[in-house]
């Protein structure tokens, strides 16, 4: 039951200027502790986030829009997409197909490639860039 719950409820970890998602790997009720896929500093404010297929696809769309905007009107040659493996279980096969279609639509005639990863690194500002349960879209022009 816990596995099913944490699949769609990662921890949202407050940072100075943003929020980082952390996938919960294990809960130990005796020690009253959680083991996450990435670090959560002691004393950090966290909350449970929630995700479903629609919200994950919407987030991928937002990532595409933001990445394409960086090209300032130049056509993309390719979109490279790095998506957290934890998202696969939430998306399911139909969600994966729908997300792939969205990526092809956003790319237009540009090539689309990518894969599922364990921890995505993406920075647009600052030094913190490691995330879980996210999708990173990189545009090439």
């Amino acid at each position: 039951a816990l596995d099913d719950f944490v699949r769609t409820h990662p921890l949202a970890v407050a940072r100075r200027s943003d929020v980082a998602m952390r996938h919960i790997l294990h809960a130990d009720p005796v020690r009253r502790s959680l083991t996450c896929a990435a670090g959560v500093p002691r004393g950090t404010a966290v909350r449970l986030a929630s995700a479903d297929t629609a919200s994950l696809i919407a987030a991928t769309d937002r990532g595409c829009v933001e990445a394409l905007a960086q090209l300032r009107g130049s056509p993309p040659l390719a979109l490279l997409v790095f998506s957290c493996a934890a998202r696969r279980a939430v998306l399911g096969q139909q969600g994966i197909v729908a997300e792939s279609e969205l990526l092809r639509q956003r790319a237009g005639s540009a090539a689309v490639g990518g894969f599922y990863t364990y921890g995505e690194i993406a920075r647009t500002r600052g030094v913190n860039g490691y995330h879980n349960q996210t999708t990173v879209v990189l545009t090439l022009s």
Side-chain angles (χ1 to χ4, degrees):
L2 179 65
D3 287 343
D4 289 338
F5 181 80
V6 300
R7 184 176 304 121
T8 57
H9 293 84
L11 289 181
V13 179
R15 299 194 299 197
R16 287 191 174 132
S17 61
D18 64 359
V19 174
M21 304 312 288
R22 295 295 182 247
H23 179 64
I24 301 168
L25 297 171
H26 176 72
D28 184 337
V30 173
R31 294 182 62 202
R32 298 177 55 130
S33 66
L34 297 174
T35 301
C36 296
V40 178
R42 183 179 296 267
T44 300
V46 300
R47 63 181 171 80
L48 281 177
S50 63
D52 58 19
T53 300
S55 67
L56 293 182
I57 292 173
T60 297
D61 189 39
R62 198 167 44 254
C64 286
V65 168
E66 290 176 12
L68 290 166
Q70 297 299 312
L71 298 179
R72 295 186 175 98
S74 295
L77 295 175
L79 296 182
L80 296 178
V81 183
F82 306 96
S83 188
C84 183
R87 295 176 78 250
R88 272 186 81 113
V90 177
L91 287 169
Q93 189 58 37
Q94 288 181 325
I96 291 168
V97 170
E99 187 174 58
S100 296
E101 284 299 316
L102 167 77
L103 291 167
R104 281 193 283 280
Q105 288 173 4
R106 285 292 185 190
S109 62
V112 177
F115 51 88
Y116 289 97
T117 69
Y118 289 98
E120 299 65 58
I121 299 174
R123 293 187 309 205
T124 55
R125 67 185 183 288
V127 296
N128 293 320
Y130 186 83
H131 303 276
N132 294 140
Q133 290 190 267
T134 56
T135 294
V136 175
V137 180
L138 171 69
T139 53
L140 301 176
S141 68

